[in-house]
Amino acid sequence: MTGDQEQALLHPEGERLARRLAQVLGGGEADVGRAHLLGLSVVTNLVGALMPTIEQVSRHAGRPLHAQLGADDRGRAVVETVTPDGEVRARLPVDDLLDDALFVRGRLHPTVCAHLADGMTGSEHHAARSLAAALKSAPVLGALRRQLTALLSR
C-alpha cells in the first residue's frame, strides 16, 4: 500500500476524531480548524508509531511480523500483522486503538485532554509540542503497550 493509500484510509479516522475533539475542546468556529489538525495528527502519529514498533519488537522476539494498514469490510482503517509467508495474523481497528489510547469510558482521558486543550491555543509550534506531550503521556503509551502485547500474542 502506498503512502497516499494509507493516508486515504487514515483521513476518515482523523476526521471522526477531529469532530469528537471539537465537541470536547472547541469553543467556537475558529477551534474547528485546530481540532481538525490535531485529530489528523493524532491518528497519523499513533498509527505511524505502532506499525514500526510491531515490526521491531516481533523481530527482536524472533518471530518477525510485518505491520500494514488495511481496510475492514466497512472500509475503515485496520492495522494488520502479517507473517513472512503472507498470512494475516491479527487485526486492530484504528478506531479501537484511538478509543483505548485517548478515552476512558467514552470521555477524553483527563491527561490527554489537558495536553490537547493546550494545543488548541497558541502557535502551530505550540500545538505540535502539545500534541507530542499528549502522545508521550502515560495513558497513550500504556494503551500502545497493551495493544502491542495483544497483537503479538495472537
Side-chain angles (χ1 to χ4, degrees), residues 65-149:
L65 295 171
H66 173 68
Q68 65 187 24
L69 199 58
D72 66 10
D73 55 349
R74 297 179 305 163
R76 296 187 77 174
V78 178
V79 175
E80 300 173 326
T81 58
V82 182
T83 63
D85 62 357
E87 175 190 350
V88 174
R89 189 137 180 247
R91 301 181 77 175
L92 171 63
V94 170
D95 56 351
D96 288 352
L97 171 65
L98 295 172
D99 281 343
D100 191 27
L102 306 175
F103 296 89
V104 177
R105 292 181 293 285
R107 298 184 66 116
L108 200 56
H109 190 286
T111 302
V112 174
C113 184
H115 289 301
L116 294 179
D118 188 44
M120 293 292 286
T121 62
S123 68
E124 284 188 29
H125 180 68
H126 179 77
R129 285 195 323 262
S130 298
L131 172 67
L135 293 172
K136 291 178 184 178
S137 68
V140 172
L141 292 177
L144 285 174
R145 187 178 313 108
R146 285 189 303 276
Q147 294 294 348
L148 181 63
T149 299

Side-chain angles (χ1 to χ4, degrees), residues 30-96:
D31 292 338
V32 171
R34 185 60 64 97
H36 185 261
L37 176 67
L38 288 173
L40 291 174
S41 297
V42 166
V43 170
T44 301
N45 283 288
L46 271 179
V47 172
L50 180 62
M51 290 177 46
T53 303
I54 290 168
E55 293 183 1
Q56 182 180 14
V57 170
S58 66
R59 189 171 39 255
H60 183 70
R63 297 182 321 181
L65 295 171
H66 173 68
Q68 65 187 24
L69 199 58
D72 66 10
D73 55 349
R74 297 179 305 163
R76 296 187 77 174
V78 178
V79 175
E80 300 173 326
T81 58
V82 182
T83 63
D85 62 357
E87 175 190 350
V88 174
R89 189 137 180 247
R91 301 181 77 175
L92 171 63
V94 170
D95 56 351
D96 288 352

Side-chain angles (χ1 to χ4, degrees), residues 10-20 36 39-40 43:
L10 292 177
H11 191 80
E13 298 298 337
E15 292 283 334
R16 278 188 281 282
L17 178 59
R19 284 191 294 278
R20 288 177 80 180
H36 185 261
L40 291 174
V43 170

